[in-house]
Each structure stands twice: as structure tokens, then as C-alpha cells.
């Protein structure tokens, strides 16, 4: 669920991760070397909203990653298993047990033969009794099973990708032990581990000496390309450039300089400027709009909330709470929100019959408009 919710990287951004770091002003530890050679653990870190998860997903889905890993594995069997922590996920998904179950499930689904080696005790009991095997999986049992799977075949190679480690439900004082365990997986000659998290001291200390990159220090060109593409593609921007050819470029440069490498801040700011273009703002209006926007994410969210028309704030609060509840506890749809917005009598008095397509389209269109207009850009459909 978390993996699916991460936006795909904007076209051509993050391509640099496979390049030679010495060609850039702010070098990072060579990621190609990590994939191709014997380095065991690589750490992707960065400020909140800088694009760590987007980069991790980009790496996981990129054919260059598979190509280089196959070269490292010398064309032996290669298994890639991923786990994405998220503060919005269930308690199980945010736990170490959830991570271990997730990694093991992906490997065993791909190669069922590993089940006998990994879960040997349970497998024997299952084969020798008519009844099933009772009891929940514990952390130590799952750790042992994963180690057995890794050791069971010397010709099998593994990449474990762990995203958002700081969003696990492990308390901060317990994080070093979890990080040390994940890092220890990389001590096996046939295992690599890719971790992403915020630069918390507890994590940094446990990953001392591991190769790493800081996303917010490396995305300046990506941010410029994203901003230019979004703004220049709006027809009003082309009209403004005819009046002042350098103004839009200056606006883009100011956004890049103010971003501190935080992609989420840039996306929200560009969204505001595009709204300005739709409102027929002049160049000076756009610069004024940019100057009004706070430079820190928390302050920007607060500013966006304060822009909600007071008459809509109660409805906006209800909508945001519905979206939050839905994303934490299960799936939520625009159509579902449209019914949740009705009063109690509506459900009891509504005639029981299938909804027509016209009714669905109307409810979805209206609610979509409410979410975009009432929630200050904090919700996307």
C-alpha cells in the first residue's frame, strides 16, 4: 500500500544516482559501486519531503538496478524484497515483525523451495500431523527463518530494500538495535541492504562507515527541471514570457534557491503558482505569492490551512479527518466521502436501488471539487 502511494519520479529526475559522483559539486558515495561490488549496506538519507521514498521506488523499479545486481550475482538467482514503513500504515506494517513477514513472503512466493529450509520446524510438524501449525510468528523465529533462507543456497543473492525506517513503530531508543540487525544482514556475502530514513542520530550512529547519499543536497537540477516543466507548460506562462523573457527564469531560480532540496515544498509552491497563473496573476503577483509562502514545510502547511475561507473550515476539517481515517484504516474513495458528508437521515431515507452512472459522476465530481477547493491543496485526488 505504501509503495503504491509513492509518486513515480518526475521524468528524467534521479537519473544521476547511477552516475559517477565525482562529476557533481556535491559528491556522494558511488551507488554503482554498491550495486556491483561487495559493499553490504547503503543509506539514503535526507530532510523530510526531500524525495527519499521516491528515489527508493525509482531505484527499485529501474532496469539499471537489476542489470547491475545481475552482474554482481554473476547471473545466479537474484531475489529483491522490499518493505516500506509509513506512519499511516497499520501497527503490524510499521513493526519489525511486519517487515520480516513482508520480506520473507516475497522471497518464498518467488521460490517456495526455501520454505523447507526457512521454516524447518513448522514444516516438519505440518507434514507429520493432521492438524495445522498453531501459534503466531515471533520476532526471533522470523529472524532465524530469514537467516536460514539466506544461508540455504550459496548461489542465491538478495537485495533487501527498507524504506522509511524512521517511520517504524520502534521507539527511538530501540532504533539502534533494529538498524544493527538490518545492517547485519549485509554481512552475508550474498546480501545487500538499501535503507532510507531521516538523518536521525540513532540511525546515523548505527550506520557509521556505510556508504550514503543525502537526497536534499543532490536534487537542485531535478527541482529546476520539475519547476521549469510545470510552469512553462502553462499557456499563461508563455504569454508572460513574451512581456518579460527573463522573469519566469528568475522566478524558477528563486524557487530552487529557497527549496533547500525539499521536493515536497517545491511541489506545493508550484501548485500555488499554477493557481496564480489560472487566476491571471501578473509576474509581480507571482513573485509576491512566492514571497508570502513560508520556507519550512510545517509553516507552509499552516499557511495553506490559514488560506481556507472561514466559511469552509468546518467542512475542510471533516474532509481531512475522513481522508486521514480512510488512509490509515483502509481504502477510501471519493464516492465514499460523498456519502460520509451527508447527514444521518440521508442513509435511512435513501431508496435501496443501484446508483445510476449519472448520479455517481455527479457525486464524484462535486466531492472532488470540494476536496481540491476546501482543503487548500493538502489533498490530491
Amino acid at each position: 500500500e505504501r509503495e503504491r502511494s509513492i509518486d513515480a519520479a518526475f521524468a528524467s529526475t534521479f537519473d544521476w544516482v547511477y552516475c559517477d559522483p565525482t562529476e557533481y559539486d556535491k559528491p556522494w558515495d558511488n551507488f554503482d559501486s554498491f550495486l556491483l561490488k561487495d559493499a553490504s549496506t547503503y543509506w539514503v538519507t535526507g530532510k523530510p519531503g526531500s524525495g527519499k521514498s521516491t528515489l527508493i521506488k525509482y531505484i527499485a523499479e529501474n532496469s539499471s538496478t537489476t542489470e547491475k545486481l545481475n552482474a554482481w550475482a554473476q547471473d545466479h538467482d537474484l531475489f529483491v524484497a522490499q518493505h516500506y514503513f509509513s506512519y499511516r500504515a497499520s501497527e503490524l506494517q510499521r513493526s519489525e515483525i511486519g517487515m520480516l513477514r513482508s520480506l520473507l513472503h516475497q522471497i518464498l512466493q518467488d521460490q517456495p523451495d526455501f520454505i523447507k529450509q526457512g521454516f524447518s520446524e513448522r514444516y516438519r510438524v505440518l507434514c507429520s500431523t493432521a492438524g495445522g501449525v498453531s501459534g503466531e510468528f515471533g520476532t526471533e523465529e522470523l529472524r532465524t527463518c530469514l537467516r536460514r533462507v539466506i544461508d540455504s543456497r550459496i548461489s542465491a543473492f538478495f537485495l533487501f530494500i527498507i524504506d522509511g525506517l524512521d517511520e517504524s513503530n520502534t521507539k527511538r531508543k530501540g532504533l539502534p538495535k533494529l538498524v544493527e540487525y538490518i545492517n547485519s544482514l549485509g554481512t552475508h556475502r550474498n546480501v545487500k541492504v538499501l535503507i532510507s530514513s531521516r538523518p536521525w542520530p540513532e540511525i546515523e550512529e548505527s550506520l557509521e562507515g556505510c556508504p550514503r547519499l543525502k537526497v536534499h543536497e543532490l536534487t537542485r537540477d531535478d527541482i529546476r527541471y520539475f519547476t521549469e516543466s510545470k510552469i512553462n507548460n502553462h499557456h499563461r506562462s508563455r504569454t508572460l514570457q513574451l512581456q518579460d523573457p527573463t522573469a519566469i527564469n528568475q522566478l524558477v531560480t528563486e524557487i530552487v534557491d529557497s527549496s533547500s532540496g525539499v521536493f515536497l515544498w517545491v511541489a506545493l509552491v508550484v501548485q500555488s503558482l499554477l493557481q496564480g497563473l489560472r487566476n491571471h496573476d501578473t509576474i509581480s503577483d507571482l513573485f509576491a505569492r512566492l514571497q508570502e509562502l513560508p520556507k519550512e514545510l510545517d509553516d507552509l502547511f499552516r499557511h495553506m490551512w490559514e488560506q481556507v475561507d472561514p466559511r469552509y473550515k468546518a467542512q475542510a476539517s471533516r474532509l481531512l479527518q475522513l481522508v486521514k481515517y480512510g488512509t490509515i484504516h483502509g481504502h477510501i474513495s471519493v464516492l465514499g466521502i460523498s456519502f460520509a458528508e451527508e447527514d444521518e437521515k440521508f442513509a435511512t431515507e435513501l431508496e435501496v436501488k443501484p446508483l445510476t452512472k449519472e448520479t455517481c459522476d455527479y457525486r464524484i465530481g462535486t466531492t472532488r471539487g470540494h476536496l481540491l477547493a476546501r482543503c487548500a491543496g493538502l489533498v490530491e485526488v
Side-chain angles (χ1 to χ4, degrees):
E1 291 171 358
R2 169 58 180 154
E3 181 186 5
R4 285 196 300 270
S5 73
I6 299 168
D7 289 338
F10 193 69
S12 298
T13 57
F14 294 134
D15 288 352
W16 48 262
V17 75
Y18 298 106
C19 297
D20 183 351
T22 58
E23 297 174 4
Y24 287 74
D25 291 337
K26 295 182 177 178
W28 61 97
D29 291 319
N30 194 307
F31 188 69
D32 263 16
S33 293
F34 163 71
L35 294 175
L36 289 164
K37 299 178 182 176
D38 293 332
S40 56
T41 303
Y42 197 99
W43 184 31
V44 171
T45 186
K47 295 178 180 179
S50 58
K52 298 183 294 296
S53 294
T54 305
L55 174 58
I56 290 293
K57 184 175 181 178
Y58 171 82
I59 290 169
E61 296 179 349
N62 197 293
S63 59
S64 293
T65 302
T66 308
E67 178 186 324
K68 294 171 195 304
L69 286 172
N70 279 326
W72 163 65
Q74 299 178 338
D75 293 325
H76 291 299
D77 290 338
L78 175 66
F79 300 91
V80 179
Q82 310 162 49
H83 186 75
Y84 292 79
F85 285 109
S86 171
Y87 69 92
R88 292 179 294 183
S90 68
E91 282 301 302
L92 176 60
Q93 290 168 329
R94 295 179 63 205
S95 68
E96 181 183 350
I97 285 181
M99 177 193 74
L100 291 167
R101 283 168 57 166
S102 174
L103 298 177
L104 279 163
H105 182 268
Q106 291 168 70
I107 297 168
L108 300 178
Q109 188 176 42
D110 197 26
Q111 184 56 265
D113 288 348
F114 282 139
I115 294 172
K116 294 179 184 179
Q117 288 84 20
F119 295 90
S120 53
E121 293 87 355
R122 284 180 181 257
Y123 189 81
R124 279 196 300 272
V125 172
L126 187 63
C127 291
S128 61
T129 61
V133 180
S134 61
E136 288 288 327
F137 292 107
T139 304
E140 287 307 316
E141 181 185 5
L142 290 169
R143 284 187 174 191
T144 300
C145 290
L146 185 57
R147 179 177 52 75
R148 286 174 179 170
V149 166
I150 291 169
D151 291 339
S152 65
R153 193 191 302 171
I154 59 172
S155 61
F157 289 74
F158 302 86
L159 171 65
F160 297 121
I161 299 175
I162 313 295
D163 178 60
L165 191 54
D166 53 290
E167 296 187 37
S168 76
N169 62 5
T170 304
K171 291 193 169 28
R172 288 188 69 159
K173 65 180 181 181
L175 262 179
K177 286 188 177 180
L178 176 58
V179 179
E180 284 165 15
Y181 166 70
I182 295 171
N183 192 22
S184 73
L185 294 174
T187 60
H188 297 259
R189 55 164 290 279
N190 57 335
V191 176
K192 290 183 183 295
V193 182
L194 175 60
I195 298 172
S196 87
S197 75
R198 297 181 190 183
W200 284 359
E202 298 90 340
I203 298 175
E204 184 163 13
E205 186 175 337
S206 300
L207 294 176
E208 186 177 359
C210 291
R212 66 192 65 188
L213 65 79
K214 297 178 180 179
V215 179
H216 60 274
E217 292 183 352
L218 299 165
T219 50
R220 183 181 179 87
D221 290 341
D222 293 338
I223 286 171
R224 175 173 288 281
Y225 177 67
F226 169 83
T227 307
E228 284 177 341
S229 299
K230 289 289 187 180
I231 292 178
N232 288 337
N233 280 341
H234 196 283
H235 66 92
R236 279 279 302 151
S237 126
R238 293 192 286 275
T239 304
L240 292 174
Q241 287 184 57
L242 291 175
Q243 300 169 17
D244 185 345
T246 64
I248 293 295
N249 188 53
Q250 290 171 1
L251 185 69
V252 169
T253 298
E254 189 158 338
I255 293 170
V256 174
D257 289 343
S258 302
S259 69
S260 300
V262 179
F263 236 118
L264 179 55
W265 182 90
V266 174
L268 295 170
V269 167
V270 168
Q271 181 178 276
S272 175
L273 294 176
L274 291 175
Q275 183 60 53
L277 288 170
R278 287 190 287 270
N279 294 347
H280 291 262
D281 282 4
T282 65
I283 281 292
S284 57
D285 291 333
L286 293 175
F287 273 101
R289 186 183 280 264
L290 177 59
Q291 293 301 322
E292 288 170 3
L293 297 173
K295 300 298 186 288
E296 297 296 328
L297 264 182
D298 285 348
D299 295 334
L300 179 58
F301 287 138
R302 191 172 294 108
H303 174 84
M304 293 167 72
W305 174 249
E306 288 168 356
Q307 302 311 301
V308 177
D309 189 315
R311 78 179 71 134
Y312 295 141
K313 279 202 168 177
Q315 184 186 18
S317 175
R318 285 198 307 274
L319 288 168
L320 287 170
Q321 289 180 72
L322 284 168
V323 170
K324 179 184 178 184
Y325 182 88
T327 53
I328 291 174
H329 297 286
H331 300 293
I332 191 162
S333 67
V334 179
L335 185 61
I337 291 176
S338 79
F339 286 110
E341 270 281 275
E342 302 284 357
D343 60 32
E344 294 86 347
K345 289 183 179 179
F346 178 83
T348 57
E349 295 176 357
L350 191 66
E351 185 181 351
V352 179
K353 63 178 184 180
L355 288 174
T356 65
K357 182 179 184 303
E358 290 74 20
T359 301
C360 285
D361 289 346
Y362 170 75
R363 297 190 73 91
I364 289 170
T366 302
T367 306
R368 179 189 178 95
H370 286 167
L371 286 165
L372 297 177
R374 307 287 196 263
C375 297
L378 294 170
V379 176
E380 289 188 0
V381 177

